[in-house]
Amino acid sequence: MRRRQLVLALGLVFALALCGVSGWSYARARGDGDLAYAHSRDAALADGRRHLARLNSLDARDVDKGLAAWLDATTGPLGDELRTTRDKSARILKEQGTTTRAEVTDAALTELDDRSGTARLIATVRIEAQPRTGGPTTDRKRFEAGLTRTGGGWKLASLTAVAVGTG
């Protein structure tokens, strides 16, 4: 009987020690700077992919809604430029009447400064275009984008088309 109590007491001590070590390990990992950085990286990449696809997509039947979505996806200099040219862009896009749908086929962050809330993204995008007249076309483009963290998540602050090298 005494031996059984000793075994139970040792088992209880071992279980409590294991719980303590597990809790300490979890608390350390939860406050880990690397983990916070990884979450920030994942959020920047996901938001960048989504916004880049949005900026290359437009329904010709509702250009104003599309331009509003473009503005929602941007901030800083890119947002300012889109706001400044919105009326002219709306007129041209309505005249052209082309509907586009974009999909980011691959993307990666090349830089992330979590403290300042900035990042750089490179991506390849497939754009399917359906003009008012004629058949559909598919184009592939490469972009480099600057991202800025805002209260509404990461948004595009700059966007540059990257030429495909010849050699």
Side-chain angles (χ1 to χ4, degrees):
M1 178 96 159
R2 186 112 167 116
R3 182 179 175 116
R4 184 174 177 195
Q5 288 176 340
L6 180 62
V7 169
L8 286 174
L10 286 175
L12 181 60
V13 167
F14 179 73
L16 288 173
L18 185 60
C19 285
V21 168
S22 296
W24 174 77
S25 177
Y26 175 77
R28 261 190 71 205
R30 187 175 164 110
D32 188 2
D34 290 342
L35 184 60
Y37 186 81
H39 285 302
S40 188
R41 179 197 62 223
D42 293 346
L45 182 59
D47 287 351
R49 289 177 71 103
R50 185 168 32 91
H51 293 319
L52 189 54
R54 185 181 290 176
L55 277 185
N56 285 281
S57 299
L58 184 78
D59 184 347
R61 295 170 299 193
D62 197 350
V63 170
D64 293 328
K65 182 179 176 184
L67 291 176
W70 288 7
L71 286 172
D72 186 52
T74 60
T75 190
L78 182 57
D80 294 343
E81 180 181 345
L82 289 175
R83 248 183 300 296
T84 301
T85 61
R86 182 180 178 145
D87 292 340
K88 181 179 178 184
S89 296
R91 189 176 64 255
I92 292 169
L93 291 167
K94 286 175 184 178
E95 286 173 9
Q96 289 176 342
T98 300
T99 294
T100 57
R101 189 177 70 78
E103 177 187 0
V104 176
T105 56
D106 202 5
L109 289 185
T110 58
E111 297 175 26
L112 173 62
D113 185 340
D114 201 28
R115 288 181 189 211
S116 70
T118 59
R120 297 215 64 70
L121 172 89
I122 55 172
T124 56
V125 180
R126 184 179 68 235
I127 303 167
E128 297 172 356
Q130 177 63 57
R132 187 176 308 170
T133 59
T137 61
T138 300
D139 195 12
R140 297 184 190 284
K141 297 186 178 192
R142 296 179 352 176
F143 292 98
E144 180 178 27
L147 300 164
T148 299
R149 186 174 45 227
T150 69
W154 292 87
K155 296 195 177 191
L156 299 174
S158 66
L159 185 62
T160 307
V162 177
V164 178
T166 58

